[in-house]
Amino acid sequence: MADEARVVELPVLTLKNKVCFPYSLEPLTVGRPFSLAAVEAALATEEKQILLLSQREETEGRPLKEQLFEIGTLGAIQRMMRVPGKAETLHLIVQGQERCKIVDWVERDDYLVARVLIVDDPTGDETPETEALKRNIDGLVQRALSLLPNVPPEMRQFISVNDDPVRLCYFLANLMQLELEQEQAVLEAETIGRLLRLIHTYLSREVEILTIRSKIQTDAEAEMGKAQKDYVLRQQMKAIQKELGDEDGELAEAAMMRERLEKADLPEHVRKEAERELRRMEKLPAAAPDYHVIRTYLEWILDMPWNVASDESIDLVRAREVLDEDHYDLEDIKDRILQHLAVHKLKPNTKAPILCFAGPPGVGKTSLGQSIARAMDRKFERMSLGGMRDEAELRGHRRTYIGAMPGRIIQSLRRAGVNNPVIMLDEIDKLGSDFRGDPSSALLEILDPQQNHTFRDHYLDLAVDLSKVFFIGTANYLSNIPAPLRDRMEIITLAGYSEEEKLVIAQRYIVPRQIAESGLSPEQVVFEEEALRRVIGRYTREAGVRQLEQRIGRVARKIALRVAEGKADLVTVTAESVLEYLGPEKIRPEVARTDLPPGIATGLAVTETGGEVLFVEGAILPGGKGLTLTGQLGEVMQESARAAHSYLWANGSKLGIDTAVLRDAGVHVHVPAGAVPKDGPSAGVAIVSALASLCVGRPVRSDTAMTGEITLAGLVFPIGGVKEKVLAAKRAGLNRVVLPLRNEPDAADIPDDIRREMEIVFVDTVDDVLANTLELNVQEPVEKG
């Protein structure tokens, strides 16, 4: 506080969203009654002084004292004007003079009056920091002036000649678009250093904003200049074309489009829409955005094969030859495909079937679709649906979006060039869904013969007939396909191949193909049968033949290297040399356990790579309680174990089992390979056999594998994957399989050579199971041990 500071009593004019600074001339508009009274009171004095005090928050009525800042500006009213017809509004010109701080408030009803202490301007010693801030502020001011070409000369002159840093800071704060709190902070700064730092911070931000605005304006002007230049050049080009007698370029493009439209074979509703869009295009200049959107839309319409179909000639004899040429066995599947072709031959206008090939990887689902197209002389298009999550991928985007395109169904038709191709929807079970929609729901219309003759793509927005398209889906897991979508397709299941079938496939298809792809000839490479068997059994574990083809291809490439280096002319691959080409054996063959102790049974399961043998192990825990299950068993499999345990407990008397063992001791059931999740009800037969074996002390037959679901009533229910499970038992060296009686029809799928070599026992009850796995006569009690 300076020595000459004094306390004065002043009327208060409150300001909303504004701060008045000393040395500034401010225009103000006054309209609130208490503010008008304060102005009238100030005008009645000789000095016409009034305190300009900012409100902390905006209010309509008279603000409370707590809603006002404590520091304001002493101002002198220089001019007052009344608005004609509006006596309640005054226009003032006020000159800011000095800073003031509220000391006390004087109570009045009509307006605010305060006793204030007049405060000197910010002071402080001259330091290197303040000098640096001054110079930086001068530089920022000059840069801001260069970015503002319309600054009045008087303002430029005032800034250049003003050597008082306080006055300059207040002047700059008044010019900048600051928040109320920032302006008040400038007014309340007590030292010159604090004041300079605040102004430097705010001015730096303003200069940055001005720089960005200048760049945006420069870019916009450059773009406008380019557009104007393009317009002038376009007009000059028109004048040149007119002088030369050439037709206008835009009109020529429209005329070419109209000529294509007249020659195109389009349905009536498509032609009507195309002509309407073409008339719109003819009225637009080429620079208009809609011009190019319409042109692209018309090109899609004209490129679509609305009435163009393949000249197919269905020859069933040739079709069978093609299928036999491309695929071994699969007789049932080939017959079903030929049946569809026969119906199509007898009734050409029939709607195309919608098939779905389901099976593990590598069994030939995709290649079957290619063979069908070749057998029918149709174009083939493959569409991978794996990981697709956006419905617009199938239905297309509406033309209102930038970069909109038709969906992949329409794109496939345009690529094929015909309206009756074979379209393969690969990996249909891998579809996803998220906030962009559910593609599987879009497929409900595409794959429904009752709806797909009027399919509407969002981009074309025209009815497209898909009833002539031969759709084929492929899937690994039918359970992943929504039930409504499954109902629209005829499911054809492709099971895994047996070792003998893989051997024939390798000899007929894989070996010749890999020899040719490696640049060799059949005279240079010979694969012995035992070598192929070793590759199949010791280097692959799959239901299909994909890994087998990779391994044979690897052997062929190593042989190609030897031939290319001149080290060999003829190479015979033997069982012993497979180790040299493929390294150590990757697969330990599934071998049945011999001399099983009591409590262990051999079960069967199906995985994504085909059938597997699994062992169920049980143990009595003296002094324990309840049933313990380990081996990462799923909920359904755990329920099967509880059902087996409860059945033996309830029926122990007729089985010769002392139920006190189950009641007073704990039972532990474990299924090895604990790192692999397991689930499903088909292990029930193996679990009940293992527990019964444990309780009666008699081992389960070691040459027998078993599968089936059990109930508490002692019934055996059917299961799936019969063929894959029997093949797994055969690979493991077992010669006897116990299956549910209700699965007897499924035994027809088992290859004839496997059925001849293995004994298949069908059971209907748990009693039948125990009679065949433990050779236990359930009618006569059996003593334990």
Side-chain angles (χ1 to χ4, degrees):
M1 181 185 300
D3 294 337
E4 65 273 14
R6 54 193 175 88
V7 176
V8 295
E9 185 175 308
L10 295 172
V12 178
L13 177 60
T14 60
L15 307 177
K16 294 189 291 186
N17 297 322
K18 183 174 180 60
V19 173
C20 285
F21 293 97
Y23 315 114
S24 65
L25 200 63
E26 294 288 346
L28 301 174
T29 300
V30 181
R32 292 185 287 182
F34 64 91
S35 297
L36 292 171
V39 172
E40 295 292 349
L43 291 173
T45 63
E46 182 178 354
E47 293 84 2
K48 299 180 181 180
Q49 291 182 331
I50 192 168
L51 177 61
L52 305 173
L53 199 59
S54 299
Q55 297 181 198
R56 296 181 185 273
E57 54 189 42
E58 189 173 345
T59 60
E60 290 297 329
R62 179 171 175 170
L64 301 175
K65 297 168 186 176
E66 296 78 11
Q67 296 175 325
L68 300 172
F69 288 104
E70 295 181 355
I71 294 181
T73 301
L74 172 63
I77 300 176
Q78 300 293 322
R79 183 180 300 177
M80 185 273 292
M81 292 177 292
R82 298 186 185 274
V83 179
K86 293 184 179 180
E88 68 279 5
T89 303
L90 296 177
H91 290 318
L92 304 179
I93 302 295
V94 181
Q95 173 70 53
Q97 295 179 340
E98 299 176 275
R99 296 189 303 153
C100 296
K101 183 175 182 179
I102 301 293
V103 175
D104 195 8
W105 291 93
V106 179
E107 296 295 333
R108 286 189 66 96
D109 295 334
D110 49 351
Y111 62 91
L112 296 173
V113 178
R115 297 178 67 247
V116 298
L117 180 68
I118 296 178
V119 182
D120 287 341
D121 288 343
T123 58
D125 296 333
E126 187 75 21
T127 65
E129 181 186 3
T130 58
E131 182 61 28
L133 287 171
K134 288 180 187 178
R135 295 183 183 183
N136 281 355
I137 290 173
D138 288 340
L140 290 171
V141 169
Q142 295 304 320
R143 187 174 176 189
L145 292 175
S146 67
L147 295 171
L148 296 170
N150 297 323
V151 178
E154 299 82 9
M155 186 179 296
R156 293 177 182 270
Q157 183 178 5
F158 174 81
I159 293 174
S160 62
V161 301
N162 194 330
D163 56 356
D164 184 347
V166 175
R167 289 197 175 195
L168 180 61
C169 287
Y170 287 156
F171 178 75
L172 294 175
N174 201 31
L175 287 180
M176 291 187 287
Q177 297 178 355
L178 302 179
E179 300 289 338
L180 177 64
E181 291 76 8
Q182 295 174 332
E183 292 183 337
Q184 187 68 27
V186 172
L187 182 64
E188 293 180 359
E190 294 294 337
T191 64
I192 189 68
R194 168 69 174 164
L195 180 61
L196 289 172
R197 280 193 293 273
L198 289 173
I199 293 300
H200 184 272
T201 300
Y202 301 152
L203 186 58
S204 297
R205 182 175 180 276
E206 287 294 318
V207 170
E208 183 179 356
I209 294 174
L210 288 174
T211 303
I212 296 173
R213 284 182 56 188
S214 176
K215 182 179 183 303
I216 294 173
Q217 184 175 357
T218 302
D219 293 344
E221 289 175 353
E223 187 65 29
M224 290 179 61
K226 181 179 182 303
Q228 292 174 351
K229 179 181 177 182
D230 291 346
Y231 174 78
V232 171
L233 291 175
R234 197 175 295 110
Q235 293 300 115
Q236 291 176 351
M237 187 180 299
K238 288 182 179 179
I240 293 172
Q241 289 175 339
K242 185 176 180 180
E243 288 295 326
L244 294 175
D246 293 342
E247 191 174 6
D248 183 85
E250 297 171 13
L251 296 178
E253 188 172 23
M256 180 183 67
M257 199 70 73
R258 181 166 294 281
E259 182 180 356
R260 286 186 62 191
L261 180 59
E262 291 173 353
K263 292 180 179 179
D265 184 11
L266 304 177
E268 186 58 33
H269 70 283
V270 177
R271 182 175 297 279
K272 182 178 178 181
E273 179 66 18
E275 289 179 348
R276 187 177 72 85
E277 291 293 327
L278 181 56
R279 286 194 296 270
R280 282 187 59 206
M281 176 180 157
E282 290 173 340
K283 296 176 183 177
L284 293 173
D290 281 355
Y291 180 90
H292 301 283
V293 172
I294 295 173
R295 185 185 67 181
T296 304
Y297 176 71
L298 290 174
E299 287 176 348
W300 271 100
I301 288 180
L302 294 173
D303 289 343
M304 282 288 293
W306 299 97
N307 294 317
V308 181
S310 297
D311 296 330
E312 58 182 6
S313 56
I314 299 179
D315 184 343
L316 295 179
V317 176
R318 178 180 175 275
R320 184 178 291 277
E321 291 175 353
V322 169
L323 293 174
D324 289 340
E325 180 183 331
D326 294 344
H327 297 85
Y328 171 72
D329 197 30
L330 305 177
E331 293 302 329
D332 181 55
I333 296 169
K334 293 176 183 177
D335 286 342
R336 294 173 72 176
I337 294 172
L338 291 171
Q339 291 163 14
H340 284 296
L341 298 182
V343 171
H344 191 70
K345 180 177 182 179
L346 297 176
K347 189 180 179 182
N349 294 328
T350 187
K351 293 180 179 178
I354 298 172
L355 308 180
C356 179
F357 297 144
V363 295
K365 300 184 294 294
T366 303
S367 59
L368 260 178
Q370 295 172 332
S371 298
I372 291 173
R374 195 157 70 93
M376 298 177 68
D377 286 331
R378 288 195 184 188
K379 297 291 185 66
F380 178 79
E381 287 290 328
R382 175 184 167 275
M383 182 190 311
S384 177
L385 303 183
M388 182 184 293
R389 294 180 175 272
D390 190 355
E391 178 190 358
E393 287 278 340
L394 294 173
R395 288 189 178 274
H397 297 81
R398 290 178 175 85
R399 281 185 286 156
T400 52
Y401 296 106
I402 297 175
M405 289 186 66
R408 295 175 64 178
I409 298 294
I410 299 300
Q411 294 179 32
S412 296
L413 287 178
R414 188 176 80 158
R415 283 195 302 270
V418 292
N419 61 7
N420 62 341
V422 174
I423 296 183
M424 172 156 283
L425 305 175
D426 217 0
E427 310 293 353
I428 201 171
D429 58 327
K430 308 298 191 304
L431 283 171
S433 63
D434 59 14
F435 64 92
R436 291 168 292 185
D438 185 0
S440 62
S441 298
L443 283 176
L444 294 179
E445 177 188 3
I446 295 171
L447 299 183
D448 190 341
Q450 305 303 320
Q451 301 180 44
N452 63 9
H453 64 286
T454 56
F455 170 72
R456 280 187 177 270
D457 182 89
H458 286 161
Y459 180 83
L460 292 182
D461 197 23
L462 296 169
V464 180
D465 185 4
L466 299 180
S467 62
K468 299 177 182 179
V469 178
F470 196 134
F471 285 106
I472 302 174
T474 70
N476 296 128
Y477 306 101
L478 289 175
S479 59
N480 292 348
I481 304 176
L485 185 56
R486 276 203 311 271
D487 291 343
R488 284 162 167 77
M489 301 182 291
E490 180 179 350
I491 307 298
I492 298 179
T493 303
L494 282 74
Y497 297 111
S498 67
E499 182 175 327
E500 294 300 323
E501 290 171 334
K502 289 182 180 180
L503 178 63
V504 176
I505 292 172
Q507 291 173 332
R508 293 188 183 180
Y509 305 100
I510 299 178
V511 169
R513 182 164 59 242
Q514 289 301 322
I515 288 176
E517 290 183 359
S518 300
L520 302 170
S521 64
E523 292 77 20
Q524 293 174 302
V525 184
V526 175
F527 278 82
E528 291 186 352
E529 181 177 314
E530 289 305 315
L532 292 175
R533 288 187 184 276
R534 186 168 188 180
V535 173
I536 293 169
R538 302 301 179 90
Y539 291 90
T540 66
R541 174 174 287 175
E542 58 177 344
V545 292
R546 188 167 293 156
Q547 292 181 13
L548 177 60
E549 181 151 9
Q550 293 171 357
R551 302 295 183 271
I552 294 176
R554 183 177 174 186
V555 173
R557 288 191 295 274
K558 289 193 173 184
I559 294 173
L561 176 61
R562 295 178 59 185
V563 172
E565 292 176 343
K567 296 180 180 179
D569 295 325
L570 172 64
V571 178
T572 300
V573 182
T574 63
E576 293 74 21
S577 64
V578 168
L579 187 65
E580 174 188 348
Y581 293 114
L582 298 179
E585 295 176 348
K586 309 297 182 184
I587 308 297
R588 291 186 63 186
E590 299 165 331
V591 178
R593 297 187 188 179
T594 58
D595 300 326
L596 293 177
I600 298 180
T602 306
L604 296 170
V606 173
T607 68
E608 63 180 12
T609 59
E612 296 283 351
V613 170
L614 57 84
F615 296 95
V616 177
E617 302 174 347
I620 295 291
L621 307 176
K625 287 292 183 182
L627 180 65
T628 302
L629 304 172
T630 56
Q632 205 172 162
L633 309 185
E635 186 174 343
V636 177
M637 199 167 182
Q638 292 182 32
E639 291 176 354
S640 296
R642 295 190 189 99
H645 182 262
S646 299
Y647 176 82
L648 294 177
W649 194 337
N651 297 275
S653 58
K654 72 174 182 179
L655 298 174
I657 296 174
D658 184 4
T659 56
V661 175
L662 298 174
R663 184 180 64 250
D664 300 333
V667 177
H668 187 171
V669 175
H670 177 70
V671 182
V676 181
K678 311 167 191 71
D679 203 2
S682 64
V685 165
I687 294 173
V688 75
S689 298
L691 292 180
S693 165
L694 190 66
C695 293
V696 301
R698 180 179 298 178
V700 178
R701 288 186 56 166
S702 60
D703 64 341
T704 302
M706 60 204 76
T707 182
E709 178 182 357
I710 64 168
T711 70
L712 279 177
L715 299 178
V716 178
F717 279 8
I719 43 80
V722 171
K723 178 183 176 181
E724 291 85 351
K725 292 178 178 179
V726 173
L727 293 178
K730 173 63 177 174
R731 286 197 301 269
L734 300 165
N735 54 28
R736 194 165 178 265
V737 177
V738 174
L739 298 175
L741 181 62
R742 301 185 194 182
N743 282 118
E744 189 170 5
D746 297 323
D749 297 334
I750 302 173
D752 294 338
D753 57 324
I754 302 295
R755 278 189 290 177
R756 286 193 298 267
E757 295 176 10
M758 298 189 69
E759 178 186 355
I760 300 177
V761 180
F762 295 99
V763 294
D764 194 35
T765 65
V766 174
D767 295 346
D768 297 338
V769 172
L770 299 180
N772 285 280
T773 59
L774 293 172
E775 299 180 346
L776 187 65
N777 185 351
V778 297
Q779 303 300 326
E780 300 176 2
V782 177
E783 295 184 3
K784 182 178 178 181

